[in-house]
Amino acid sequence: MAVFRKDRIMSILERDGSFTTKYRLMFGDTPVYVSMKATLLDDEDGRYLIIGTNNIDAQMKREEEYRQKVAEARNRARNDFLANMSHDIRTPMNAIVGYTNIARSHPEDPELIRDSLEKIGSSSHFLLSLINDVLDMSKIESGKMQLNVGECDLSAVFRRIEDITSLQAKNKSLRISYDYSGVSHFHVLADELRIEQILINIISNAIKYTPEGKTAEIIAGEESLPEKDAGRYRFIVRDTGSGISEEYLPHIFESFTRELNTTINRIQGTGLGLAITAKVVELMGGHISVKSKPEEGSEFTVTVDLKFAGEDFPDEAGGKTASEPADVSADLSGRRILLVEDNDINAEIAIMVLSQYGLETERASDGQAGVEMVLARGDGYYDAVLMDLQMPVMNGYEAAGAIREAGTSYCKDLPIIAMSANTYDEDVRACLAAGMNAHLAKPFQPETLMRVLGEYIKR
Ligand code: ADP
């Protein structure tokens, strides 16, 4: 009734010359959809209203079916995702729980305990990389992944990649070679961690899907571009492994797809690595492609245009260049750390690790207690603070801010390192904005903790 009000229709007709609407007629219980168009016609005989109607029943039904299909597909994708996640989390969890029980019930057998711990370690590692991948994927899908572009030293990236992947290859008796001779500018502007992630993903796959005794090679090269201050970098990862079937190849960059599942090929994976890799390459404005023949091998190529950075990086933190690895062997024994951590288990782990390296630790169980301890003990007492972020009473950001604002130069310079399970880029930025020196993600490796402490504690 409201739509067909005469004055409303007349005003639309005066303005637009025509009026269209859709409506539903009920024939008993059966609806029929109709569209109607009315056009105003002025001629010498007077004014006419020409009205046409059209049965759009079939079209409406098609649209409704389409909407339903889209909703169903979305539902199915979500269910598949949850089923996949549940399976992929349970598999390593099963190993962790299982081997913990085995180790616990054989206290007399150190060999068995060592073997169980080894397996618990590798399953935890897998679980962590799965969680990181899922977080990356959800960031990508919500459009929130951002690149942290800065000065990047490709030679340091290559060195780290080689360290990690040559060990993986050695464990599998696989011959692997690295050739960077085609690169002439190693200092570029790029997101160093993401470049490393892309290459590690592809190279690890080449190793994973290539049987013992075969080969893998990595070739990096650079071509010039019309712009003088940038180059087109090409990374080729070639293996003589299992190859990829023609049917699967078009789906290789889709998330959660794998050619064969773990039960069949016994190779652990989630099908997320290449999906993330392709998205990150896309975010960098680059291109990824793959060629492969079953039983012969695969070749992945990533190309990306990168701007050159000056050869000399400005000094950062105490005169170190960005590419120089921190001194892991720094002796920190006897140094005193304040650990601000509300969770007892996490605190116990950190304290044990620190004491293994000869450091002395005092603990505060929330931010406020932490601030009070720093102020009460006085200048020079602690060498560094390890700060959890989410805590009751006062969180880590506020506590770091309060220490910085305490006024003394000791409080301004005291190294405060966030140690947190909040690991998104924005969490890291918030830590730095709150006056902390660095951010360390939980779970952490003991060596990483020591390296970060070594970097910030004054000798
Ligand atoms: P995942 O390795 O966790 O399964 P990826 O997304 O990294 O996930 O890879 C998806 C699939 O692509 C793998 O399961 C595998 O079937 C195939 N694949 C990737 N790289 C290679 C390779 N170098 N050789 C053969 N198959 C590969």
Side-chain angles (χ1 to χ4, degrees), residues 44-327:
E44 58 269 27
D45 301 336
R47 289 185 111 183
Y48 296 90
L49 196 58
I50 303 169
I51 298 177
T53 58
N54 187 14
N55 181 332
I56 53 164
D57 219 35
Q59 182 194 337
M60 291 296 277
K61 284 208 175 99
R62 267 201 310 277
E63 280 175 18
E64 180 53 29
E65 274 168 20
Y66 176 73
R67 264 195 299 275
Q68 256 176 22
K69 265 199 197 124
V70 171
E72 275 165 23
R74 204 171 288 149
N75 232 341
R76 210 169 28 243
R78 203 179 56 209
N79 287 340
D80 284 356
F81 173 81
L82 289 174
N84 265 319
M85 280 313 301
S86 169
H87 170 268
D88 290 336
I89 291 174
R90 275 167 197 284
T91 309
M93 272 316 282
N94 186 44
I96 293 170
V97 173
Y99 282 108
T100 305
N101 287 332
I102 291 176
R104 201 184 278 139
S105 50
H106 292 85
E108 74 298 342
D109 189 343
E111 191 55 38
L112 187 69
I113 292 177
R114 203 170 304 123
D115 180 60
S116 302
L117 289 176
E118 195 69 35
K119 286 171 176 148
I120 291 170
S122 81
S123 294
S124 316
H125 184 78
F126 178 74
L127 194 58
L128 183 61
S129 66
L130 169 69
I131 291 168
N132 286 336
D133 279 356
V134 170
L135 291 181
D136 269 358
M137 204 62 219
S138 85
K139 280 222 119 173
I140 287 169
E141 293 200 332
S142 60
K144 286 199 189 126
M145 179 174 276
Q146 283 178 359
L147 295 177
N148 266 329
V149 176
E151 285 165 349
C152 155
D153 178 6
L154 288 176
S155 60
V157 172
F158 293 150
R159 207 167 7 176
R160 285 196 298 269
I161 288 176
E162 214 174 302
D163 282 349
I164 295 171
T165 56
S166 61
L167 195 71
Q168 293 172 347
K170 195 165 148 235
N171 289 341
K172 262 192 94 173
S173 311
L174 215 121
R175 264 184 300 132
I176 189 161
S177 64
Y178 306 85
D179 175 3
Y180 320 118
S181 57
V183 176
S184 38
H185 297 85
F186 285 90
H187 292 97
V188 292
L189 292 178
D191 186 331
E192 189 161 314
L193 285 182
R194 294 293 176 193
I195 295 243
E196 193 171 318
Q197 179 186 25
I198 291 172
L199 295 175
I200 294 234
N201 270 347
I202 305 178
I203 301 170
S204 301
N205 274 348
I207 296 169
K208 224 159 77 166
Y209 297 100
T210 301
E212 255 175 51
K214 301 263 180 155
T215 58
E217 60 180 329
I218 291 90
I219 303 161
E222 176 193 334
E223 287 163 28
S224 51
L225 286 174
E227 304 91 301
K228 282 213 171 50
D229 61 344
R232 174 156 300 165
Y233 290 78
R234 192 183 306 277
F235 306 98
I236 300 173
V237 179
R238 203 178 280 143
D239 65 61
T240 54
S242 65
I244 301 150
S245 72
E246 219 174 298
E247 298 80 60
Y248 178 63
L249 207 53
H251 303 286
I252 192 157
F253 297 117
E254 291 168 14
S255 24
F256 288 115
T257 62
R258 307 191 69 203
E259 184 160 12
L260 299 168
N261 67 33
T262 311
T263 339
I264 299 173
N265 68 2
R266 311 187 67 78
I267 298 174
Q268 219 169 25
T270 56
L272 276 177
L274 284 180
I276 293 169
T277 303
K279 292 282 185 189
V280 176
V281 171
E282 188 185 320
L283 213 58
M284 291 181 177
H287 183 73
I288 183 166
S289 63
V290 50
K291 288 190 288 196
S292 183
K293 276 225 172 76
E295 305 309 323
E296 285 181 22
S298 312
E299 179 181 307
F300 287 81
T301 306
V302 173
T303 39
V304 57
D305 294 353
L306 299 173
K307 275 208 154 74
F308 304 143
E311 287 297 308
D312 294 316
F313 289 166
D315 271 7
E316 280 179 12
K320 234 180 288 104
T321 62
S323 57
E324 195 180 311
D327 187 0

Side-chain angles (χ1 to χ4, degrees), residues 25-47:
L25 293 174
M26 293 302 287
F27 292 94
D29 285 342
T30 317
V32 173
Y33 291 90
V34 181
S35 85
M36 183 201 90
K37 180 169 185 176
T39 308
L40 197 59
L41 187 72
D42 277 315
D43 73 10
E44 58 269 27
D45 301 336
R47 289 185 111 183

